Amino acid sequence: MIRTAITELLGIPHPIFQGGMAWIADGHLAAAVSNAGGLGIIAAGNAPADYVEREIEQARQETDRPFGVNIMLMSPYADDVAALVARQHVEVVTTGAGNPSKYMEQWKKAGIKVIPVVASVAMAKLMTRLGASALIAEGGESGGHVGELTTMVLVPQIVDATSLPVVAAGGIADSRGFVAALMLGAQGVQMGTRFLCATECSIHPVYKEKILKASDLCTMVTGKRLGHPVRSLRTTFARNYGQAEYSRISDEELEAMAVGTLRKAVVDGDTECGCFLAGQIAAMVRQEQSALQIVEEVIGGVEPLLRGAATWIE
Ligand code: TUI
C-alpha cells in the first residue's frame, strides 16, 4: 500500500485519478476506477447538466466509493454543471481549461473537495488562496488541451508554490511514471490515456485499436493559432487541421473545422474526420485491461522500484 496526503484526503486506497476525458469518462468508467481503489472522474466536457446528472446517478448505482466530476471551464454549460455538482454534493470536483475562481465558494459551501488542474505557478497560488483541497499539475505530455510546460518542470515548481498536495498528470502510464511523480514531490498521479483501453471504457473499438497500435511519435499538437493547443493522434484530420492553421483561412473557418470532431472519434470511430485525443504515452498502452488490472499493475510495481532505488545509497 502506498499512503500519501491524497489517499488520506479522499479516503481512497490508491492515489491514482482517472482523468476527466470529454465524451469518454462516463459514470460507468468512473465507478470502475473508484471500485479499483483509485478516484474515478466523470467528464462534463461540453455536455449539458442533465447528461452529467445521469452519469452521476449511474456512478452512484455502481459504486459506494468516492468519485469526482471534471468541469471543462470553456463549456457553455459550465455554470449549470457547477450548480449541479453543488446540489448533488459530489465528493470531488476537478476543473480544466480555465480559472474556476467564481465557483470556489459555492463548491466549498457544499462540502466539495475542489482539485483544479493548474498549468502555471500563478494559478496554483491563486487556487491555494481560494481554498482548493489539492492541485493537479498537468504537463503538456497529456492528451487534450495542453499547457506550455512539461510534467517534469511543472510538478516541482507547483509543489514549491503550494502547501497543498499535488497530483501529477501528463505522460504517466506505469509504475515508473508513478514513482517519478512522487520523486518530483507529487502525492499522487492522474492518468487519462492509460484508461482509454480499459474494458469499462466504452469508446469506439477503432479508438482503442489506434491507441494499441500507436508509436512514440504518433501524437501532435494543433490549435495554437486559436489559443487552445490540443494534443491528439496524428490522423488525417489532425494533419489537415495542422496545415489549415498555416493557411490563409479565417479563424472562424478554422474553428468550424474542429466542431463535432471529438464525437466523431469517440462515438463513430471515424478515422478520417475524428479528433482522437491522446497523450504521449499512447504507445505504452499495450493491451485492453480492466480498470482494476490497470490500477493494480501500476500500484504493484511501485514498492519494488522504491526499494530498488534505496539500494543505490551507499
Ligand atoms: O482541460 C484539459 N484537457 C482538455 S479540455 C478538452 S475540451 C477542449 N477542446 C478544444 C479546445 C479546448 C478544450 C480536451 N482536453 N486539461 C486540463 C488543463 N487545464 N490543461 C491545461 C489547463 C489549464 C489551462 C489554463 C488550466 C488553467 C488555465 O488557466 C488559464 C487562466 O485562465 O489563467
Side-chain angles (χ1 to χ4, degrees), residues 18-26 41-47 51 70 72 144 196 203 207 262-263 266 275 277:
Q18 158 253 312
M21 301 167 282
W23 280 102
I24 298 173
D26 58 11
I41 297 177
I42 295 166
N46 270 319
Y51 163 84
N70 172 262
M72 210 283 282
L196 283 178
I203 56 175
Y207 203 145
L262 296 187
R263 181 183 200 282
V266 174
C275 178
L277 298 182

Side-chain angles (χ1 to χ4, degrees), residues 179-232:
V179 169
L182 295 191
M183 294 302 101
L184 295 176
Q187 307 272 332
V189 303
Q190 172 167 282
M191 302 190 296
T193 303
R194 178 74 201 259
F195 285 109
L196 283 178
C197 292
T199 37
E200 298 90 345
C201 180
S202 50
I203 56 175
H204 196 283
V206 164
Y207 203 145
K208 290 192 182 184
E209 200 182 293
K210 288 186 96 61
I211 297 295
L212 294 173
K213 287 189 175 153
S215 63
D216 54 349
L217 298 176
C218 68
T219 73
M220 64 187 284
V221 174
T222 55
K224 282 195 175 157
R225 179 169 139 189
L226 297 181
H228 305 301
V230 164
R231 183 179 297 286
S232 68

Side-chain angles (χ1 to χ4, degrees), residues 82-99:
L84 168 74
V85 295
R87 243 183 359 259
Q88 287 279 345
H89 300 285
V90 299
E91 285 93 342
V92 176
V93 165
T94 67
T95 62
N99 179 348

Side-chain angles (χ1 to χ4, degrees), residues 3 42 58 61 71 81 101 130 167 187 189 202 228 242 245 273 282 285:
R3 197 183 299 274
I42 295 166
Q58 182 73 32
Q61 273 173 23
I71 303 187
V81 179
S101 294
L130 293 185
V167 173
Q187 307 272 332
V189 303
S202 50
H228 305 301
E245 281 190 279
C273 309
V285 182

